[in-house]
Amino acid sequence: MIRNELRLLRHDPVPAAVLVGMPLVLMTLLSDAMKSTLAAGGHEGAPGSAQTVPGMACVFASFAIAVVGFAIFREHGWRTWPRLRAAGLSGRKLIGGKLAVPALLVTAQHVVLFGFGVLFLDLEVSGSWLAVIFIAALFATLVLVAGLAAAAALSTIQQVNAVTNLGAMALGGLGGGFVPVDSLPEWVQPIAPLSPVYWAMDGYETAILEGGGVGDVLGPLAVLAAFTAVFAGIALWRFKLDAPKRTWG
């Protein structure tokens, strides 16, 4: 199943372009502008990539929700889901196979974006890289579980795409993925913690700009874990392996 998913990705690289190509362009264009924004927020001398790299990673990783949903809905559209079930695969292996390639995509995205930031955009982590890795790994897990929850709760791939596109932009902007939260309108700032991106960016700021280690980001990690648990609960509640799905409305 994983080999087949990789083959499909090779023939249709659009998900990789969205998760990796688009944020690379935005990081390159926006990093210089973000330098002054960070300086105004008290981080004098910090490169703009300290905002754009983790911010774009969070925002565009969220599009993997639709990648997970499409991997599941596609099998229903092709009428191959019953064959997978008849092949004797357990529910755990079936779901694991559908999550494996999106997980590889999000992992590769983070490696490419952070690597590009270090090599070309002067990104420096003043604290612990291990803390950065923990935040990235937990946020990636959250996105994958959210994708499974979306596939479980929604009826068509159009609904998954609509929720993903709106959610990635709205929650990404609300949580400080595009600009720091303290640069957002005053009426928005109190509700920013409702976005998982806010907590990921809070952890990234601590590790990248404030010299924090793993112990200093335990708070954001705990909140991200709580969000993940909520999405996991929705997935467990709503996902039925034998329930029919409509690929299109």
Side-chain angles (χ1 to χ4, degrees), residues 98-234:
K98 289 299 177 183
L99 292 179
V101 171
L104 287 173
L105 266 176
V106 176
T107 301
Q109 181 225 36
H110 278 73
V111 171
V112 170
L113 297 191
F114 276 90
F116 186 88
V118 170
L119 292 174
F120 301 107
L121 300 177
D122 301 321
L123 176 65
E124 294 182 2
V125 175
S126 63
S128 167
W129 269 105
L130 189 58
V132 171
I133 291 170
F134 280 168
I135 297 163
L138 190 49
F139 189 81
T141 302
L142 182 153
V143 166
L144 296 173
V145 176
L148 191 57
L154 301 173
S155 301
T156 67
I157 192 61
Q158 297 106 311
Q159 293 175 4
V160 174
N161 281 332
V163 168
T164 299
N165 294 338
L166 179 61
M169 292 293 102
L171 294 179
L174 178 66
F178 294 107
V179 297
V181 170
D182 57 14
S183 298
L184 295 173
E186 290 186 3
W187 65 268
V188 173
Q189 295 178 27
I191 60 175
L194 296 176
S195 169
V197 174
Y198 171 88
W199 297 99
M201 292 301 294
D202 184 45
Y204 281 131
E205 180 181 343
T206 299
I208 294 173
L209 292 172
E210 299 174 3
V214 174
D216 299 305
V217 300
L218 290 179
L221 288 173
V223 179
L224 289 174
F227 275 110
T228 304
V230 171
F231 288 128
I234 295 172

Side-chain angles (χ1 to χ4, degrees), residues 17-28 52 56-57 60 109 113:
V18 171
L19 266 68
V20 179
M22 291 176 65
L24 279 176
V25 172
L26 290 173
M27 283 162 44
T28 303
T52 59
M56 294 301 103
F60 284 90
Q109 181 225 36
L113 297 191

